[in-house]
Amino acid sequence: MQTSLTPNLKPFHTFAISQTCSNVVEIHSIEQLIEIYQSLLEAKQAVLFLGKGSNVLFTDHFDGTVLLNRLMGIEVVEGEEHWQLHINGGEDWPTIVEWSIKQGYAGLENLALIPGCSGSAPIQNIGAYGVEFQDVCEYVDILCLDSWKVKRLSKLECKFGYRDSIFKHELYQKAIVVAVGLKLAKYWKPNIAYGPLKSLDESDVPVTAKEIFNRVCSIRMSKLPDPNRQGNAGSFFKNPMVERNKFEDLQAQYPDIVGYSSGDKVKLAAGWLIDQCGLKGHQVGGAMVHPQQALVIVNQGEATSKDVIELAAYVKQKVWEKYQVELEHEVRFIGSDGETNLTQILESRK
């Protein structure tokens, strides 16, 4: 059954910025998803399938229907060496991680408190503290929008990369993630090689998944604003990848620059770059670079999408002027008829 809700999108994305759309519908089953999606396509209406809205900025009135992912359910299979978890796409990711730790299924603890639903996790290949979604993924189930059949992709077929996957490229707007399969080793080893987790290794007592979970939660809560109290979409910009010689040139000028080797390139800390430009606390209208975490843009309460766009453009410009490093936003921009980006918006205003 179709459930129509208020066309105001403010409650459905964590930036909590007032924006409108033609209609909002909750989706509780794949059958319902197929029926409604097909009817909207036949009516030639724009469609957006939305999870928790934790990585979205609505830049304009969306002239179409927003389908809210409410595909719920978890199944667990125990093998000799692994726990295999089948999780439907609408499940809340932070809740899944906390639940898995309580159940004794270690392996997700480094990914604690990353906002969003399970169905969004493979699209972004979410990651934190030395672990990415691809490290625990066994498969991803998708609904193909050409055949209306559910297909299972292996981890390899998902073509995971840094905050990247096949769902942003070949399968963009051609498939919907309806479930994920996770494979967690029973003979678990802690991953504490990343930054603030290293101190856990100082104890003589073996580190537990619960301890890592608690530490990650503590760090994230101290560094990142709670979207329930202050609207935001988490890390606004990706950490840029640069050639190694570019990093060496920057390092010669700025010895304290933060970078991590990633194959033959170096991943720069976008937050550090923004901070060094003196942009913490910089504000445009109701949008502000968070005073403690430069990677986050927050809604001070009355921000508009225009405020966020102008602030993001200013941050990008200042980082380029100082370092000649191009920042790319991690947050998805949704315009009047679908996804757009900061470059396209700025070009359209010229």
Side-chain angles (χ1 to χ4, degrees), residues 4 7 13 26 56 71-72 100 124 146 158 179 208 221 224 240 242 246 254 256 268 285 296 302 308 314 326 331 350:
S4 296
H13 66 122
E26 288 188 343
V56 168
L71 301 174
M72 311 301 285
S100 71
Q124 282 289 104
D146 54 356
C158 291
T208 67
M221 287 188 291
L224 299 172
V242 299
K246 169 69 173 179
Y254 309 100
D256 295 333
L268 301 180
V296 177
E302 298 298 330
V308 177
Y314 183 80
E326 188 83 20
V331 173
K350 291 182 179 179

Side-chain angles (χ1 to χ4, degrees), residues 244-255:
R244 193 164 294 277
N245 59 353
K246 169 69 173 179
F247 176 71
E248 291 170 354
D249 290 344
L250 287 170
Q251 197 173 40
Q253 291 182 269
Y254 309 100

Side-chain angles (χ1 to χ4, degrees), residues 37-333:
Y37 210 116
Q38 287 180 332
S39 67
L40 292 170
L41 290 181
E42 289 173 5
K44 297 183 179 181
Q45 290 189 28
V47 187
L48 176 67
F49 194 61
L50 185 68
K52 299 293 181 180
S54 60
N55 197 44
V56 168
L57 174 69
F58 288 97
T59 63
D60 290 290
H61 164 81
F62 180 66
D63 190 19
T65 296
V66 174
L67 305 180
L68 298 178
N69 187 350
R70 300 294 184 259
L71 301 174
M72 311 301 285
I74 307 169
E75 297 175 10
V76 180
V77 175
E78 180 179 3
E80 288 188 13
E81 298 182 354
H82 295 88
W83 298 102
Q84 292 173 293
L85 280 57
H86 179 90
I87 303 169
N88 286 338
E91 292 285 350
D92 180 63
W93 181 260
T95 302
I96 288 292
V97 175
E98 184 176 11
W99 167 85
S100 71
I101 298 301
K102 290 179 179 178
Q103 297 298 314
Y105 311 142
L108 303 181
E109 55 283 340
N110 294 56
L111 302 176
L113 286 190
I114 297 179
C117 64
S118 298
S120 303
I123 299 173
Q124 282 289 104
N125 186 25
I126 59 172
Y129 301 103
V131 176
E132 292 183 319
F133 179 82
Q134 64 178 328
D135 299 324
V136 295
C137 176
E138 183 177 16
Y139 60 80
V140 175
D141 286 350
I142 60 172
L143 174 65
C144 301
L145 298 180
D146 54 356
S147 65
W148 304 105
K149 302 292 185 182
V150 174
K151 178 182 178 181
R152 178 160 294 180
L153 300 182
S154 67
K155 176 169 71 173
L156 187 63
E157 290 174 313
C158 291
K159 298 183 180 180
F160 290 121
Y162 172 62
R163 302 297 176 270
D164 202 15
S165 69
I166 192 173
F167 310 108
K168 290 188 173 184
H169 302 284
E170 295 99 314
L171 293 181
Y172 177 66
Q173 294 187 335
K174 295 179 180 178
I176 291 173
V177 176
V178 294
V180 298
L182 308 182
K183 192 173 184 179
L184 307 179
K186 288 185 172 181
Y187 303 100
W188 166 85
K189 292 182 179 180
N191 188 330
I192 53 175
Y194 189 97
L197 298 184
K198 290 180 180 179
S199 61
L200 289 172
D201 202 28
E202 297 173 356
S203 172
D204 294 331
V205 180
V207 177
T208 67
K210 177 66 172 174
E211 287 176 303
I212 296 174
F213 172 81
N214 289 340
R215 177 66 62 88
V216 170
C217 288
S218 176
I219 295 167
R220 291 186 70 91
M221 287 188 291
S222 67
K223 291 175 60 177
L224 299 172
D226 182 353
N228 293 318
R229 297 185 177 184
Q230 192 171 38
N232 72 89
S235 298
F236 196 92
F237 294 99
K238 296 180 181 179
N239 291 322
M241 305 283 281
V242 299
E243 300 294 337
R244 193 164 294 277
N245 59 353
K246 169 69 173 179
F247 176 71
E248 291 170 354
D249 290 344
L250 287 170
Q251 197 173 40
Q253 291 182 269
Y254 309 100
D256 295 333
I257 192 169
V258 180
Y260 305 93
S261 292
S262 181
D264 59 350
K265 295 188 177 183
V266 177
K267 183 193 302 180
L268 301 180
W272 187 91
L273 298 173
I274 298 167
D275 187 11
Q276 296 303 304
C277 289
L279 295 173
K280 280 184 177 177
H282 187 81
Q283 192 163 345
V284 173
M288 181 177 68
V289 177
H290 194 268
Q292 279 75 51
Q293 176 48 269
L295 201 53
V296 177
I297 291 177
V298 296
N299 174 5
Q300 287 289 80
E302 298 298 330
T304 64
S305 59
K306 183 173 181 289
D307 295 338
V308 177
I309 290 166
E310 291 185 0
L311 179 55
Y314 183 80
V315 170
K316 184 175 180 177
Q317 174 190 345
K318 290 301 178 183
V319 169
W320 174 258
E321 289 175 356
K322 185 168 184 176
Y323 299 105
Q324 286 73 58
V325 172
E326 188 83 20
L327 289 184
E328 180 183 351
H329 55 88
E330 185 172 327
V331 173
R332 295 175 63 200
F333 285 21

